[in-house]
Amino acid sequence: MDIPLARKVNGKKFMWDGVVYDTEASAQQVMEGYAKDGFEAEKFVEEGQFLVYSRRVATVAPTDG
C-alpha cells in the first residue's frame, strides 16, 4: 500500500502521523489525543486499515526580524 504523506480535506492540508492502525477504535483514540493537543484530525480507511492525518493552525503570526 502506497500511503500519501499529505492529504487535502476541504482545502486544508493534513499530514499522516506515520502509523497504520488495525482497528477503528485505536485510530479514534489517537485522534482524540490530537484534538486535546489542539490539532485537527481526520481518519481514512485504506485496505481495511486506518490512517490518521492531522494539522495544526499556527496561533502566532511570523514576524520579520
Side-chain angles (χ1 to χ4, degrees):
M1 166 171 47
D2 189 26
I3 300 172
L5 295 178
R7 292 186 185 223
K8 286 214 173 187
V9 177
N10 296 325
K12 299 177 181 178
K13 184 178 179 180
F14 287 77
M15 299 299 294
W16 179 41
D17 71 354
V19 181
V20 177
Y21 300 94
D22 291 329
T23 65
E24 185 173 12
S26 60
Q28 186 65 39
Q29 185 177 16
V30 169
M31 288 178 62
E32 290 170 7
Y34 284 141
K36 286 180 184 176
D37 290 337
F39 288 80
E40 293 180 52
E42 293 287 335
K43 177 177 45 188
F44 293 88
V45 180
E46 297 230 353
E47 298 179 15
Q49 296 180 321
F50 300 88
L51 309 173
V52 175
Y53 287 75
S54 63
R55 73 183 296 270
R56 186 172 196 170
V57 178
T59 57
V60 178
T63 60
D64 292 332

